[in-house]
Amino acid sequence: MSAPAALGPRHRRVVELRRLVRRRAPGDATAVLEGPRTVSEALAAGIEPSVVAVPESAAGNAAAQEVVSRLGSGTEVLVLSERAFDSVAPAKSPQPMLALVGKPRARLPESVSQDDLVLVLAGVSDPGNVGTIIRSAEACGARCVVVAGGADPWSPKAVRASAGSVLRVPVVSESGAGAALEVLRAAGTRVVAADPSEGEPHDSGVLARGSGPVALVLGSESQGLDPSLLQHVDRRVRIPMAGGAESLNVAMAATLLAFEYRRRP
């Protein structure tokens, strides 16, 4: 990378970039990616950044050079001083590259295959949990992940927790879980909600693939499933607990239930 003079924290482009990175809302059209590996995965997925920023100390880094060499002519590459880069980066110990990309747009499926699995997050509020669930969704071959309320799946913490899966798994953002579930039911899915108190045991066959495609619904960490969504649910599932534990972390539960669906013939 042939590095120009590094931009300081008061440079106009740095101020603009800091505003774009630090003052984000779930409805923003762009997302922030951190680190050469994640940016490389975005390029492999056909997602071209609009801006890539690296700190001056990493301008000669082999991994950063390799990523920059693959960028198209439409990507602006900025080299920032260490102080300027730290002022922009969303993490306290930032990766040596930041990129702004347009969020891929995904829609609810209008039809589903016999063994499709859709994960529906209804108010999951922790971005780490959202990202981990998206990672598990890719690992178990889910059709898509629907995020209705809760944490932004494109927040930096969620993107980090997804380990790049958010770049490859279709993530559908919906304002209301109930309407999304009705679309999925119309497409042919059974709607099965995780319910630690009222559900059927997860190994009882409730998640058998032989019964057709499933939309697996997971509620918020603190409140669980909103009662108003029960009218959209066909069956409920729980993971039996030993000892005094009431439930698993929502990301752990999602992973176990998703792989139970894949395991069941």
Side-chain angles (χ1 to χ4, degrees), residues 19-30 103 152 154-155:
R19 176 179 55 80
L20 288 170
V21 172
R22 294 280 187 162
R23 300 177 185 176
R24 307 195 58 74
D28 288 348
T30 59
K103 294 178 182 177
D152 178 8
W154 289 98
S155 67

Side-chain angles (χ1 to χ4, degrees), residues 135-176:
R135 183 177 183 177
S136 295
E138 180 180 29
C140 74
R143 173 74 177 271
C144 65
V145 176
V146 180
V147 178
D152 178 8
W154 289 98
S155 67
K157 184 176 179 180
V159 173
R160 287 195 298 271
S162 82
S165 292
V166 72
L167 301 167
R168 297 180 290 270
V169 175
V171 176
V172 183
S173 294
E174 292 287 321
S175 57

Side-chain angles (χ1 to χ4, degrees), residues 215-231:
L216 177 61
V217 189
L218 299 120
S220 74
E221 295 90 339
S222 59
Q223 303 296 323
L225 194 68
D226 189 317
S228 68
L229 295 178
L230 292 178
Q231 61 182 308

Side-chain angles (χ1 to χ4, degrees), residues 5 19 33 38 80 88 91 101 105 123 139 144 154 178 216-217 221 231 233 240-241 255 265:
R19 176 179 55 80
L33 304 182
T38 303
L80 277 55
V88 171
V101 300
R105 296 184 180 276
C144 65
W154 289 98
L216 177 61
V217 189
E221 295 90 339
Q231 61 182 308
V233 170
M241 298 282 139
T255 301

